[in-house]
């Protein structure tokens, strides 16, 4: 095994000692960052369920979204420390598979949360939102909201990262299909030929990245009127860029997450609609799965008809449209997190 880096070099969210307690089942949670509210809630869910089941949990996170190396180092540490399983939201869903294979070969159960690995069966299981459906819902809603004007839309695509992790590809492609745009290769974004797409830019899933990506695409076409965003922090940044040029009221922004700040932005008209996902459920189910694996070697089963366990998604719309199922802002607020 490669020489392990010291704990101080990792972005560690919570750790106690150099090894797990000998008298409890041990698990690791490795997220993309420890600042995005989605991952904060995921950590809370994992910690609560681990405490309930008497398990030991250590949490690690990348310094920024896309920090692949820190996630690799965290996996190595979890193997060396004797963990029974790892819950992982991968920054690079294909490159991480080598490290995941090492963990599985060492006897750990590896569950992908939110972001499927590429290929998906590189992990023992995946607990996630149906991210393609999440994108499809906001795309269908945006097209219905625009009506006949959808045929002449000018669309900005604010994606996650250049490495195109699966979660970003699925949401992007789902949005385009929902909007009525022909896909190129559905396993990647950016190869579509529809003239309504002004362009793609990356956000790193944060507000500053969303603002910069929006500025870049506005420089390409200042008359953009539809904005797809990978998540709600990126949407908030896009809104600020539009507001700075006085266009905040005539551009339709859609997103995915369902955090409380994002739902509030739907209520205030910053975001037109967002697909709400449920990170606390993903994490708590993942901890339960590691506990079961440690007890009798049982692996979790997929949702019937899917190659992952679907933890659900709901469209939260500021204004309902015919033909697209949604819940109200009030319902979204009751279910929100962060």
């Amino acid at each position: 095994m490669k020489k392990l880096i010291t704990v101080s070099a990792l972005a560690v969210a919570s750790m106690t000692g150099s090894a797990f307690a000998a008298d409890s089942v041990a698990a690791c949670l490795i997220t993309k960052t420890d600042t995005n509210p989605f991952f904060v809630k995921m950590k809370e869910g994992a910690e609560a369920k681990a405490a309930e089941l008497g398990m030991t949990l250590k949490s690690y996170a990348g310094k920024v979204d896309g920090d692949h190396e820190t996630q690799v180092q965290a996996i190595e540490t979890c193997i060396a420390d004797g963990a029974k399983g790892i819950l992982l939201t991968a920054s690079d869903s294909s490159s991480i598979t080598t490290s995941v294979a090492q963990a599985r070969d060492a006897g750990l159960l590896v569950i992908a949360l939110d972001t499927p690995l590429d290929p998906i069966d590189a992990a023992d299981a995946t607990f996630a939102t149906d991210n393609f459906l999440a994108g499809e819902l906001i795309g269908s809603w945006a097209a219905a909201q625009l009506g006949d004007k959808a045929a002449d839309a000018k669309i900005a695509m604010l994606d996650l990262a250049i490495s195109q992790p699966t979660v970003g590809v699925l949401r992007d492609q789902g949005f385009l299909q929902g909007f009525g745009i022909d896909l190129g290769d559905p396993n990647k974004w950016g190869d579509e030929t529809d003239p309504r797409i002004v362009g793609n830019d990356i956000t790193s899933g944060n507000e500053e990245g969303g603002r910069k990506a929006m500025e870049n695409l506005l420089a390409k076409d200042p008359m953009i009127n539809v904005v797809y965003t990978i998540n709600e922090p990126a949407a908030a940044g896009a809104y600020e860029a539009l507001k700075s040029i006085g266009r905040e009221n005539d551009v339709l922004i859609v997103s995915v997450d369902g955090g409380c700040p994002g739902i509030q932005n739907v209520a205030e008209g910053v975001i037109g609609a967002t697909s709400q996902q449920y990170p606390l459920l993903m994490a708590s189910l993942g901890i339960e799965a590691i506990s079961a694996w440690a007890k009798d070697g049982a692996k979790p089963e997929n949702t019937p008809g899917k190659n992952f366990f679907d933890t659900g998604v709901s469209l939260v719309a500021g204004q309902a449209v015919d033909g697209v199922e949604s819940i109200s802002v009030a319902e979204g607020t009751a279910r929100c997190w962060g």
Side-chain angles (χ1 to χ4, degrees):
M1 183 179 297
K2 298 176 183 176
K3 183 178 179 181
L4 299 179
I5 68 167
T6 61
V7 168
S8 62
L10 291 172
V12 181
S14 65
M15 242 182 131
T16 53
S18 60
F20 289 107
D23 58 348
S24 67
V25 174
C28 288
L29 172 68
I30 305 172
T31 56
K32 296 176 185 178
T33 73
D34 58 6
T35 55
N36 186 311
F38 182 85
F39 300 122
V40 172
K41 182 55 62 174
M42 187 176 279
K43 181 183 172 186
E44 289 177 8
E47 288 177 338
K49 184 57 68 173
E52 177 187 326
L53 298 178
M55 296 171 62
T56 302
L57 177 70
K58 294 182 181 180
S59 299
Y60 304 83
K63 300 174 183 67
V64 295
D65 203 322
D67 181 5
H68 168 69
E69 289 304 319
T70 293
Q71 292 195 321
V72 169
Q73 293 156 3
I75 290 173
E76 292 173 346
T77 299
C78 294
I79 295 170
D81 280 353
K84 293 295 185 182
I86 295 172
L87 305 180
L88 171 68
T89 62
S91 286
D92 189 323
S93 49
S94 56
S95 296
I96 200 72
T97 57
T98 300
S99 297
V100 168
Q102 291 172 352
R104 295 177 70 186
D105 288 345
L108 282 73
L109 182 77
V110 181
I111 297 176
L113 300 184
D114 177 56
T115 303
L117 300 188
D118 185 11
I120 194 169
D121 60 3
D124 291 291
T126 301
F127 293 166
T129 306
D130 186 330
N131 282 293
F132 190 91
L133 176 59
E136 194 170 22
L137 286 169
I138 55 176
S140 297
W141 181 88
Q145 184 76 359
L146 288 174
D148 292 341
K149 294 180 181 178
D152 299 313
K154 294 189 175 184
I155 305 169
M157 301 294 295
L158 272 58
D159 290 296
L160 182 57
I162 264 309
S163 62
Q164 299 204 19
T166 52
V167 64
V169 173
L170 288 165
R171 293 180 189 179
D172 173 299
Q173 298 291 279
F175 166 82
L176 292 176
Q177 179 162 297
F179 198 86
I181 289 176
D182 292 335
L183 305 181
D185 180 349
N187 297 307
K188 64 181 180 180
W189 52 253
D191 64 344
E192 298 79 23
T193 59
D194 195 300
R196 289 175 288 181
I197 301 173
V198 172
N200 299 70
D201 209 324
I202 59 171
T203 65
S204 297
N206 60 51
E207 188 167 341
E208 178 62 15
R211 183 185 63 79
K212 288 181 178 178
M214 190 73 251
E215 289 174 347
N216 291 341
L217 292 174
L218 283 168
K220 191 172 181 180
D221 189 335
M223 298 313 295
I224 286 167
N225 62 355
V226 178
V227 182
Y228 154 84
T229 59
I230 180 65
N231 64 8
E232 290 159 2
Y239 176 82
E240 290 304 316
L242 290 163
K243 186 177 180 180
S244 71
I245 61 169
R247 298 227 32 233
E248 71 274 19
N249 295 321
D250 62 349
V251 177
L252 195 61
I253 301 175
V254 293
S255 197
V256 177
D257 258 352
C260 295
I263 300 301
Q264 183 60 34
N265 277 342
V266 174
E268 295 175 0
V270 172
I271 298 172
T274 191
S275 287
Q276 186 171 61
Q277 48 185 347
Y278 304 103
L280 191 149
L281 179 61
M282 291 179 200
S284 60
L285 289 173
I287 291 295
E288 288 179 348
I290 292 174
S291 176
W293 167 257
K295 288 177 182 177
D296 56 20
K299 290 186 179 183
E301 296 183 0
N302 294 331
T303 297
K306 298 187 177 184
N307 59 357
F308 64 99
F309 186 93
D310 187 352
T311 53
V313 62
S314 301
L315 180 70
V316 183
Q319 180 179 348
V321 297
D322 291 340
V324 185
E325 185 176 351
S326 65
I327 62 175
S328 67
V329 170
E331 291 175 281
T333 300
R335 303 181 192 181
C336 75
W337 41 265

